């Protein structure tokens, strides 16, 4: 059987979207750059702030953000769902981080991350 290793998200600016999702998810952080990786990026004329591929790690699968030249144009075929004990408080927190509300339903709120990718905030349980 296969094991889920990463969830890959195409985006316009990997570092900023990675920071957004690291702030959204409990116990997730942008994976640190060691000296060798900083040197590798520098040889390519890049820095961690201009890195086109950024990983966010935590207790579940790694989220991997990769820059692509095209913008998102249609609804996501796959989206993330996050669960919150107090959905409205979580929606308010995510709004402050740069998300926006797409639609509100009885048991979930569909939101958009700063690049327009849909995700849902659901009630716990």
């Amino acid at each position: 059987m296969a094991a889920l290793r990463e969830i890959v998200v195409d985006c316009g600016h990997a570092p900023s979207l990675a920071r957004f999702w690291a702030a959204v998810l409990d116990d997730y952080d942008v994976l640190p750059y060691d000296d060798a990786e900083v040197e590798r990026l520098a040889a390519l004329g890049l820095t961690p702030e201009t890195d086109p591929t950024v990983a966010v790690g935590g207790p579940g699968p790694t989220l991997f953000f990769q820059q692509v030249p095209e913008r998102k144009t249609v609804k996501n075929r796959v989206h993330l769902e996050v669960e919150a004990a107090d959905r409205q408080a979580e929606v308010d927190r995510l709004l402050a981080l740069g998300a926006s509300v797409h639609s509100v339903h009885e048991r979930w709120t569909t939101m958009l991350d700063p690049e327009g990718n849909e995700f849902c905030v659901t009630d716990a349980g």
Side-chain angles (χ1 to χ4, degrees), residues 22-74:
V24 168
L25 299 170
D26 191 27
D27 292 330
Y28 273 77
D29 291 299
V30 173
L31 294 181
Y33 290 84
D34 61 18
D35 291 341
E37 181 63 7
V38 171
E39 278 185 38
R40 185 189 73 77
L41 289 172
L44 298 170
L46 300 168
T47 68
E49 184 52 36
T50 60
D51 188 357
T53 57
V54 180
V56 175
T62 299
L63 299 178
F64 192 79
F65 298 88
Q66 64 180 7
Q67 284 178 204
V68 297
E70 64 276 359
R71 296 182 54 87
K72 179 182 175 293
T73 58
V74 298

Side-chain angles (χ1 to χ4, degrees), residues 87 91 100-112 118-121:
R87 180 173 26 133
V91 166
S100 59
V101 172
H102 181 270
S103 58
V104 179
H105 306 273
E106 184 178 335
R107 294 180 39 218
W108 74 90
T109 301
T110 303
M111 301 190 75
L112 304 174
E118 296 91 355
F119 68 100
C120 293
V121 180

Side-chain angles (χ1 to χ4, degrees), residues 87-102:
R87 180 173 26 133
Q88 188 56 56
E90 185 63 8
V91 166
D92 292 343
R93 185 181 79 85
L94 299 176
L95 289 169
L97 291 174
S100 59
V101 172
H102 181 270

Side-chain angles (χ1 to χ4, degrees), residues 8-31:
V8 180
V9 178
D10 290 351
C11 60
H13 190 259
S16 60
L17 198 57
R19 285 192 303 271
F20 170 82
W21 280 102
V24 168
L25 299 170
D26 191 27
D27 292 330
Y28 273 77
D29 291 299
V30 173
L31 294 181

